[in-house]
Amino acid sequence: MDIVVKGRKTEVPERFRKHVAEKLKLDKIQKLDGKVISLDVEVSKEHNPRQADRSDRVEITLRSRGPVIRAEASAADPYAALDLATGKLEARLRKEHDKRHTRRGNGRLSAAEVADVVPGVAELNANGQPVALEATDAVPTTRIGSLEVQGEGPLVVREKLHTAAPMTLDQALYEMELVGHDFYLFVDAETKQPSVVYRRHAYDYGVIHLETDPLAGAEAGGAGGALGG
């Protein structure tokens, strides 16, 4: 696997390319993620003199068979920005590595326990054969949250409930990039509002905050909509 270094609206000197190869140790990265496919480093420069302390920006993108992991940082020179971005990348790789290790070691169920945990799963007899369910003429009724569906209705609903500690916008963006999704739901630590961050165009992001309008009735419609704008 090679490291691809490219510049966006700036030239990348050969000296910096060699420094990238020395800084990003492939053997160390592959120990944390043995399924790495590519590693891209993009360098860009902000020419606004008011942002001289963070004029150079480095973004590292690691693609593997799992989620895409990105790390970016800005500093007064590209070498300092590379150091910061490399530290973030290694921290995220270690987090993913530890998460995979924890999944492998914990939470496994024996065949006998599956029926107690997974609703609707076929039960097995002493010989390991599925136990036939008794036939019934009654129309099955399924209750999902506040909805009740009779028979094989066309309505398919999947309800999930997540418990999460409030986080900052930066933390939410970090978690979204870590899992490789295009959006991420979270509770804003500052406003305590349910919020969502989402990917827009190129490297732009958007954020939506949801608040309750005490004057609006149910007939006024919800706050849902596309994440496009």
Side-chain angles (χ1 to χ4, degrees):
M1 180 191 67
D2 295 327
I3 301 176
V4 178
V5 183
K6 56 186 177 182
R8 185 172 64 175
K9 298 181 180 179
T10 186
E11 292 292 330
V12 181
E14 188 61 30
R15 177 168 169 259
F16 183 78
R17 294 178 185 272
K18 291 180 180 178
H19 182 71
V20 170
E22 294 171 357
K23 188 70 179 178
L24 292 173
K25 297 179 175 60
L26 293 180
D27 55 343
K28 185 176 181 180
I29 291 174
Q30 289 176 329
K31 282 183 181 179
L32 295 172
D33 188 343
K35 299 179 180 179
V36 178
I37 298 173
S38 65
L39 190 62
D40 298 334
V41 178
E42 184 178 87
V43 185
S44 58
K45 191 170 186 67
E46 173 60 55
H47 297 284
N48 186 344
R50 294 182 179 180
Q51 299 182 5
D53 59 333
R54 48 192 175 93
S55 60
D56 289 275
R57 178 174 174 271
V58 172
E59 178 177 306
I60 306 173
T61 303
L62 184 147
R63 292 180 174 83
S64 69
R65 296 179 186 176
V68 174
I69 297 179
R70 288 189 178 90
E72 59 185 65
S74 298
D77 64 82
Y79 294 91
L82 177 65
D83 289 345
L84 293 173
T86 301
K88 291 181 181 180
L89 179 72
E90 291 179 354
R92 294 175 188 181
L93 281 172
R94 287 193 199 96
K95 182 175 180 179
E96 279 295 295
H97 178 268
D98 293 343
K99 189 186 298 184
R100 289 194 300 269
H101 182 73
T102 302
R103 284 200 205 105
R104 292 190 190 115
N106 300 324
R108 291 187 176 181
L109 301 175
S110 64
E113 296 173 314
V114 173
D116 297 329
V117 178
V118 183
V121 71
E123 297 184 5
L124 304 180
N125 59 23
N127 298 323
Q129 300 296 322
V131 178
L133 299 176
E134 295 182 2
T136 177
D137 295 332
V139 178
T141 300
T142 304
R143 188 171 185 84
I144 306 174
S146 60
L147 300 176
E148 191 173 276
V149 181
Q150 291 187 339
E152 298 180 358
L155 182 62
V156 179
V157 177
R158 183 179 182 183
E159 184 179 54
K160 282 188 174 182
L161 178 63
H162 293 280
T163 302
M167 63 177 66
T168 64
L169 178 59
D170 286 344
Q171 288 174 310
L173 289 170
Y174 163 74
E175 293 292 340
M176 182 182 74
E177 292 293 354
L178 189 62
V179 298
H181 290 171
D182 291 329
F183 68 93
Y184 189 83
L185 298 170
F186 71 104
V187 176
D188 192 292
E190 183 177 348
T191 65
K192 302 300 186 287
Q193 294 174 331
S195 307
V196 58
V197 290
Y198 61 96
R199 193 186 315 281
R200 298 182 73 248
H201 309 292
Y203 298 102
D204 293 336
Y205 302 99
V207 59
I208 296 174
H209 301 290
L210 188 65
E211 64 179 4
T212 302
D213 185 352
L215 301 180
E219 68 278 4
L227 296 180

